[in-house]
Amino acid sequence: MKIMNLRSKILRFWGIMDVMSLISYFIFSIINNRIPIYSDIKGIISTIDSFGIEGAGLFWISILVICDILTLVSLFFSANLFLRGTSAPLLFISLQEILRFITLKCSLVFIPLILHLTASSLVWLNVSLFIFSEAFKVCTLMWCRKQPQSHKA
């Protein structure tokens, strides 16, 4: 029987958060009659065409779309690592956090869901909870990196 220590519980928690983030993305896409990722790209292209965006604006919109897709892909890999009880490499965690800040994808998936359901429009609250979420994740993952892996009994 495997003894589940605090380190493995934390890693499993973040793995579940990443899985829930992916699931909520796919569910919200399907509920809104969209094909995940494809519809997002198609919508951005349509918006670019409608507004005639070009030059620097087009460049930055392209960067945001690429970062959004990379964030979704990274969630699949981090969920896999965390659910197996493996701490992600520091470079991977750092890059994923940069992507999260660029795309404003909260690590604690229930925060944006609660804010959405309560129709909260308080910018300071949204930003504060987002920063708390990311700081909490980084701090707990850094703590996990310093802890030994669990042993089998």
Side-chain angles (χ1 to χ4, degrees):
M1 180 176 176
K2 184 176 180 180
I3 298 173
M4 184 177 238
N5 61 16
L6 184 58
R7 178 188 184 280
S8 58
K9 287 179 183 179
I10 290 170
L11 293 174
R12 182 162 295 152
F13 172 78
W14 289 119
I16 291 169
M17 287 294 108
D18 288 349
V19 168
M20 286 177 58
S21 183
L22 287 168
I23 290 171
S24 65
Y25 169 75
F26 283 98
I27 288 173
F28 280 116
S29 291
I30 292 166
I31 286 173
N32 292 311
N33 295 319
R34 295 186 344 234
I35 300 168
I37 299 175
Y38 173 78
S39 294
D40 296 341
I41 294 170
K42 188 176 174 185
I44 291 296
I45 291 170
S46 174
T47 301
I48 289 169
D49 289 343
S50 296
F51 290 103
I53 299 170
E54 51 188 45
L58 178 61
F59 172 77
W60 289 113
I61 288 172
S62 300
I63 294 295
L64 287 174
V65 170
I66 291 167
C67 288
D68 193 49
I69 293 168
L70 287 174
T71 303
L72 288 170
V73 171
S74 77
L75 290 175
F76 173 78
F77 289 107
S78 60
N80 186 25
L81 287 171
F82 294 147
L83 290 175
R84 288 187 305 155
T86 305
S87 192
L90 189 57
L91 179 61
F92 180 83
I93 293 170
S94 302
L95 291 174
Q96 189 182 62
E97 281 305 312
I98 290 168
L99 290 170
R100 283 183 180 278
F101 270 88
I102 291 170
T103 60
L104 297 176
K105 288 199 185 300
C106 199
S107 291
L108 292 170
V109 71
F110 53 83
I111 290 176
L113 290 174
I114 291 169
L115 292 172
H116 175 75
L117 293 173
T118 60
S120 173
S121 60
L122 300 172
V123 174
W124 67 267
L125 178 63
N126 293 349
V127 170
S128 297
L129 289 173
F130 173 75
I131 291 171
F132 167 77
S133 169
E134 299 319 299
F136 181 64
K137 181 176 185 179
V138 169
C139 289
T140 57
L141 290 178
M142 295 308 290
W143 180 85
C144 286
R145 292 182 66 73
K146 296 177 184 178
Q147 303 306 310
Q149 294 209 12
S150 62
H151 303 285
K152 293 189 178 189

